Amino acid sequence: MELAYIPSPSTGVVHLGPVPLRGYAFCIIIGVFVAVWLGNRRWIARGGRAGTVADIAVWAVPFGLVGGRLYHVITDYELYFGEGRNWVNAFKIWEGGLGIWGAVALGAVGAWIGCRRRGIPLPAWADALAPGLAVAQAIGRWGNWFNQELYGKPTDLPWALKIDADPAIGRVAGTYHPTFLYESLWCLLIAGLVIWADRRFTLGHGRAFALYVASYTVGRFWFEYLRVDDAHHVLGLRLNGWTSIVVFVGAVIYMVVSAKRAPGRETVVEPPLEGDSSSEDSSSEKKKV
């Protein structure tokens, strides 16, 4: 008999008349707003203009959502295209299923387009946004709690997550490791680490973002080990585990090479508009975030 556990919501949807309000979607939306807010503060502290982060996010967020969904559908295609499956469900993003690797990869493409249109270096924008992205992930992971998904192995720890049975999808009732909570807390630690390291070492040219990526993959490797949901395995290791290793190595190499080629931080992150004096004024108002 469990003496203590984390309860799961009885439903992930609340209906306001005919309009369904989904916990998963709310977590994603709130995470995006927090990331843009914090990124905007950091961008201004670097000498950029208010609103630029949001303008570029208009490109990055839709691309990121599409990329995250594509990665999930491609790596778990049997959930949507196998025998007895309905391929239309691949478009039901509100039911869960966003791959962080696809979200970052395609989101970066959208951000590159937005940065190019504004004449802004993508690495500088990514550095400003990095801690906010980690916080957004921390918030977004609670969407998995609403959907009762992506939990870990069975456990009787006091902070175990109680999962309800659902024969339709093969979900077995019990108490499991709350990997959504582990990852949420880990992402908050990453946000703090990036902010501290950015202040301490004056990171620039994409190195703060690379630190965020490298740190996340360390935790993600462990979370993948704990998870029990179906996944493709390569040489006995979950696909996302291998992805974490590859991405970690790439991020570390980038930090090392970038530090040698372009030490320090960008002195100018955003070209001034014609007749705009805010760039001169911002230098006296900078504060570290």
Side-chain angles (χ1 to χ4, degrees):
M1 179 178 180
E2 303 91 358
L3 297 179
Y5 56 80
I6 301 173
S8 290
S10 58
T11 178
V13 185
V14 176
H15 286 84
L16 186 63
V19 180
L21 305 178
R22 302 181 184 276
Y24 186 89
F26 266 113
C27 290
I28 298 297
I29 293 170
I30 293 172
V32 169
F33 275 103
V34 172
V36 172
W37 170 79
L38 182 55
N40 183 65
R41 291 191 62 192
R42 288 171 52 80
W43 184 252
I44 294 173
R46 279 167 160 71
R49 287 189 297 276
T52 296
V53 169
D55 290 343
I56 297 175
V58 169
W59 288 91
V61 172
F63 274 72
L65 290 174
V66 172
R69 189 60 175 177
L70 280 175
Y71 182 91
H72 167 72
V73 172
I74 291 173
T75 55
D76 291 297
Y77 60 88
E78 67 279 357
L79 298 177
Y80 307 100
F81 303 103
E83 184 177 352
R85 302 289 185 174
N86 186 356
W87 63 271
V88 175
N89 292 334
F91 296 94
K92 297 180 179 179
I93 192 172
W94 56 87
E95 293 183 353
L98 287 175
I100 182 61
W101 313 119
V104 171
L106 207 55
V109 174
W112 175 81
I113 294 173
C115 286
R116 187 174 177 83
R117 289 168 59 91
R118 297 290 293 265
I120 293 170
L122 175 60
W125 185 84
D127 281 344
L129 200 67
L133 282 177
V135 176
Q137 283 182 259
I139 297 171
R141 273 305 175 198
W142 285 84
N144 302 133
W145 177 63
F146 280 102
N147 286 353
Q148 295 197 46
E149 61 185 359
L150 303 186
Y151 45 86
K153 299 176 181 179
T155 182
D156 57 0
L157 290 170
W159 57 84
L161 176 66
K162 187 173 184 179
I163 295 296
D164 302 322
D166 188 346
I169 59 176
R171 193 169 68 200
V172 180
T175 54
Y176 301 84
H177 278 286
T179 49
F180 85 92
L181 178 60
Y182 297 161
E183 185 166 340
S184 180
L185 295 175
W186 181 250
C187 286
L188 291 177
L189 289 174
I190 292 172
L193 171 65
V194 173
I195 291 174
W196 171 82
D198 198 20
R199 292 176 176 176
R200 176 66 176 81
F201 302 106
T202 317
L203 300 178
H205 302 281
R207 289 188 288 277
F209 183 81
L211 176 61
Y212 146 70
V213 171
S215 301
Y216 174 74
T217 58
V218 173
R220 183 58 184 264
F221 186 86
W222 179 57
F223 307 140
E224 286 295 324
Y225 169 75
L226 286 177
R227 280 167 51 172
V228 294
D229 53 298
D230 292 333
H232 296 287
H233 287 72
V234 178
L235 299 178
L237 190 65
R238 290 167 66 101
L239 177 60
N240 280 328
W242 284 111
T243 305
S244 295
I245 294 174
V246 173
V247 174
F248 173 82
V249 172
V252 171
I253 291 175
Y254 178 87
M255 283 191 287
V256 173
V257 174
S258 174
K260 290 182 178 180
R261 291 186 175 181
R265 182 183 290 170
E266 300 90 341
T267 56
V268 178
V269 296
E270 186 167 6
L273 296 175
E274 185 177 352
D276 181 17
S277 61
S278 62
S279 58
E280 290 87 1
D281 297 338
S282 65
S283 61
S284 61
E285 299 175 357
K286 285 185 183 179
K287 60 178 181 287
K288 291 188 175 181
V289 178

